[in-house]
Amino acid sequence: MFDLAGLHEAKAVVYGAMLRTPQYRWPGLSRRAGCDVWVKHENHTPTGAFKVRGGLVLFDELHRTGQLPRKVITATRGNHGQSIPFAASRFGVPVTVLAPRGNSVEKNAAMVGWGAELVEFGDDFEDARVEAVRRAETEGALLVPPFHPALVRGVATYALELLTAVPDLDVVYVPIGMGSGICGLIHTRDLLGLKTDIVGVVADRAPAMARSVAAGAVVATQGADTFADGIACRVPMPEPLEVIRRGAAGVVAVGEEAIAEAMRVLYSETHNVAEGAGAAALAALMQQRGRHAGQRVAVVLTGGNVDTAILRIVLEGGVPVVETGEPQAAAASRSGTQ
């Protein structure tokens, strides 16, 4: 995918727009998990999520190679859809973002704020992605897919920061959406010659990547009804699947209650806000507590872009409920009564 020189070039591009994000050891999390816990705070980027790094590197590459398009079209649940217009606006390239109906209200507003034309289409990310492909072909626009070599190289800069700042990590837990984050982490680990285990995390209600890894081939699901919208994917792509199969120590599925509890724990112990996907890594670590006694473990807090209504439900002890065909329902069930 890339070599160390290419990764350091990407780092220079990213740091032209943002500071590196911190990784902190949190004693409260360590007590709860029974091991030494570090958090990589990708919620501290300009867009509140790790994806911004990929957009910056993609558009730098397009600019340097003389391939800037007249228009870009992409699909998203929100964080990728902020990254692309954030980067494209630096070069005056218009961006249309497809998001499913009922998507996060505040992520939608942020995408528009960064300059995107927002089009709501379909019931989930896959519907929006297919429509983005069709529109790009019809309009002669550049389609930016959710997984692209430049995007992976860009987001891998968070892995370089983490693995050089804390090189003796035994395990890193990282959520899996369409796969750019975990693939960048795996490849960076390999380039640095480290032995760190990397564990991917999916939602119980969006298990397509876990099933695909187990089967050794793409396995699509009919739905992805998790309130953790950043990992609400039902049709994996072959390229990241192969990287994950070869390089991850495993893929763990976590439930909606566990994700909500991890959001509460992150808030109480670190006073950081995590969206559902951003808390999934900690949820998996807590689910596997006891396996890492005496070890140094990192969790990647991939983003903090959660709607106020959803955060309120979580902090009050509830679990947001997502019904089929309603990707971001504002209903809630109290813990233990769902």
Side-chain angles (χ1 to χ4, degrees), residues 218-298:
V218 171
V219 177
T221 58
Q222 290 300 308
D225 297 324
T226 172
F227 82 90
D229 54 359
I231 53 176
C233 302
R234 63 179 176 86
V235 184
M237 298 178 69
E239 298 93 332
L241 171 60
E242 187 57 29
V243 175
I244 295 166
R245 287 185 61 239
R246 289 187 286 103
V251 178
V252 176
V254 292
E256 303 294 280
E257 296 86 350
I259 294 170
E261 176 62 14
M263 291 171 67
R264 287 188 286 270
V265 168
L266 281 163
Y267 187 80
S268 64
E269 297 290 358
T270 77
H271 289 110
N272 276 262
V273 171
E275 60 187 277
L282 179 63
L285 173 58
M286 297 297 293
Q287 182 171 288
Q288 297 198 324
R289 64 168 295 133
R291 295 191 181 191
H292 302 300
Q295 292 188 322
R296 180 169 281 193
V297 181

Side-chain angles (χ1 to χ4, degrees), residues 60-267:
D60 175 76
E61 185 174 286
L62 291 171
H63 174 66
R64 286 187 296 103
T65 57
Q67 299 181 67
L68 280 175
R70 65 171 186 83
K71 182 179 181 180
V72 162
I73 295 179
T74 194
T76 190
R77 288 303 305 266
N79 289 333
H80 171 74
Q82 292 181 64
S83 168
I84 299 305
F86 179 90
S89 64
R90 294 166 165 258
F91 300 97
V93 177
V95 176
T96 296
V97 174
L98 279 291
R101 291 184 292 268
N103 196 51
S104 161
V105 173
E106 291 173 26
K107 285 181 178 177
N108 284 357
M111 289 186 277
V112 173
W114 291 120
E117 175 197 15
L118 179 68
V119 177
E120 293 187 86
F121 185 92
D123 291 330
D124 60 16
F125 169 76
E126 186 60 18
D127 287 348
R129 187 195 67 80
V130 171
E131 176 64 8
V133 172
R134 187 195 69 78
R135 289 189 181 218
E137 292 175 350
T138 301
E139 299 178 25
L142 175 67
L143 175 73
V144 177
F147 191 88
H148 181 283
L151 297 178
V152 177
R153 185 163 63 97
V155 300
T157 58
Y158 90 71
L160 182 64
E161 292 171 7
L162 174 63
L163 295 176
T164 53
V166 196
D168 54 349
L169 287 168
D170 295 291
V171 186
V172 179
Y173 284 84
V174 58
I176 305 175
M178 294 305 289
S180 63
I182 188 173
C183 290
L185 183 59
I186 288 169
H187 194 60
T188 301
R189 175 205 59 188
D190 294 346
L191 288 174
L192 295 175
L194 300 174
K195 302 301 182 184
T196 306
D197 284 339
I198 294 171
V199 179
V201 184
V202 301
D204 276 344
R205 299 188 68 176
M209 184 59 82
R211 292 181 183 178
S212 298
V213 169
V218 171
V219 177
T221 58
Q222 290 300 308
D225 297 324
T226 172
F227 82 90
D229 54 359
I231 53 176
C233 302
R234 63 179 176 86
V235 184
M237 298 178 69
E239 298 93 332
L241 171 60
E242 187 57 29
V243 175
I244 295 166
R245 287 185 61 239
R246 289 187 286 103
V251 178
V252 176
V254 292
E256 303 294 280
E257 296 86 350
I259 294 170
E261 176 62 14
M263 291 171 67
R264 287 188 286 270
V265 168
L266 281 163
Y267 187 80

